[in-house]
Amino acid sequence: MPDYGFFDNVYDVARQIPAGRVTSYGAIASYLGTKGSSRIVGYAMQAAGAAHPPVPAHRVVNRQGLLTAKFHFGGDTMQRLLEAEGIKVKDDQVQDFKAVFWDPNIELAL
């Protein structure tokens, strides 16, 4: 059974990812203090379609910049959303991944 409190925490982080940037499931998990829970972050992103306010789940990719969740968006929707924000994607891979990577551990540091 999903932990919706955890999902809400994931969504709070994901909503702060700026347009034109991406982060990874693992980076969100690490920021939340649950480093080994990147798969649960993925489940949260899969369920994000019903969240309000909306969650920019298309900005969350795997640790290598691959669009592993693209099937949940249908067709090439995830890629189109990223490209509309200026992120280059080729063969389901974010190009210049290190340059566009948004690390919540750094960006949201107090």
Side-chain angles (χ1 to χ4, degrees), residues 6 24-38 41 103-105:
F6 182 74
S24 68
Y25 307 105
I28 292 174
S30 175
Y31 176 76
L32 293 174
T34 58
K35 192 170 178 137
S37 66
S38 56
V41 172
D103 186 345
N105 286 302

Side-chain angles (χ1 to χ4, degrees), residues 69-90:
K70 73 176 197 167
F71 300 105
H72 298 291
F73 287 85
D76 64 349
T77 302
M78 186 176 187
Q79 179 171 337
R80 285 187 294 110
L81 289 168
L82 290 170
E83 289 175 341
E85 295 180 0
I87 296 174
K88 295 181 179 94
V89 178
K90 181 178 179 188

Side-chain angles (χ1 to χ4, degrees), residues 25 41-47 57-62 65-79 82 92:
Y25 307 105
V41 172
Y43 294 146
M45 290 296 100
Q46 185 177 347
H58 64 284
R59 297 179 189 149
V60 185
V61 298
N62 85 353
L66 290 171
L67 310 188
T68 53
K70 73 176 197 167
F71 300 105
H72 298 291
F73 287 85
D76 64 349
T77 302
M78 186 176 187
Q79 179 171 337
L82 290 170
D92 298 330

